[in-house]
Amino acid sequence: MQINLTGHHVEITSSLREYVNTKLTKLERHFDHINNVHVVLTVEKLDQKAEATIHLKGTEIHASAINTDMYNSIDTLVDKLDRQVLKYKGKITQH
C-alpha cells in the first residue's frame, strides 16, 4: 500500500508521518486490495482537518474528520475509513 501524505498550512513532521502510516496499516489487515491512499492534513485557525481517499480496485473511498487536535482527527478519520472499507468488503463478498 502506497501512502501519499500532503500538508496544507502544516508541516508534516516525521512523527506525524509515522503516526499516519501506523494507523493506515490497520486498514490493510481488514482488506488487502488497497492500492494507494492519499492523505491531506490541513490546519485552518483552530480546526485540524484530516481527509483521505483510498483507491481500491474499481472504486474510491473518501472520508474526512475535523478536530482541535491533529492526532484525534487522524484517529477519527481512520475509524471512518475502516467502517467504509468493511462495508465495501461486505458488498463484494456477497456477489
Side-chain angles (χ1 to χ4, degrees), residues 3-45:
I3 300 173
N4 299 328
L5 188 57
T6 309
H8 287 277
H9 307 293
V10 63
E11 182 184 342
I12 305 297
T13 60
S14 58
S15 61
L16 203 55
R17 183 177 301 278
E18 185 65 34
Y19 191 76
V20 170
N21 289 344
T22 305
K23 289 293 184 176
L24 287 176
T25 52
K26 185 175 92 169
L27 298 176
E28 262 189 327
R29 285 186 292 174
H30 292 209
F31 191 67
D32 56 353
H33 299 294
I34 298 173
N35 297 336
N36 68 358
V37 183
H38 185 78
V39 181
V40 179
L41 304 178
T42 311
V43 175
E44 296 173 1
K45 296 188 181 173

Side-chain angles (χ1 to χ4, degrees), residues 20 39-42 48-52 62-67 70 72-78:
V20 170
V39 181
V40 179
L41 304 178
T42 311
Q48 313 259 337
K49 183 176 182 182
E51 50 188 331
H62 182 79
S64 65
I66 299 175
N67 204 308
M70 186 59 81
N72 287 344
S73 296
I74 294 167
D75 288 343
T76 307
L77 173 71
V78 171

Side-chain angles (χ1 to χ4, degrees), residues 49-71:
K49 183 176 182 182
E51 50 188 331
T53 304
I54 298 179
H55 300 278
L56 301 169
K57 187 175 180 183
T59 190
E60 288 184 350
I61 294 175
H62 182 79
S64 65
I66 299 175
N67 204 308
T68 55
D69 179 48
M70 186 59 81
Y71 291 98

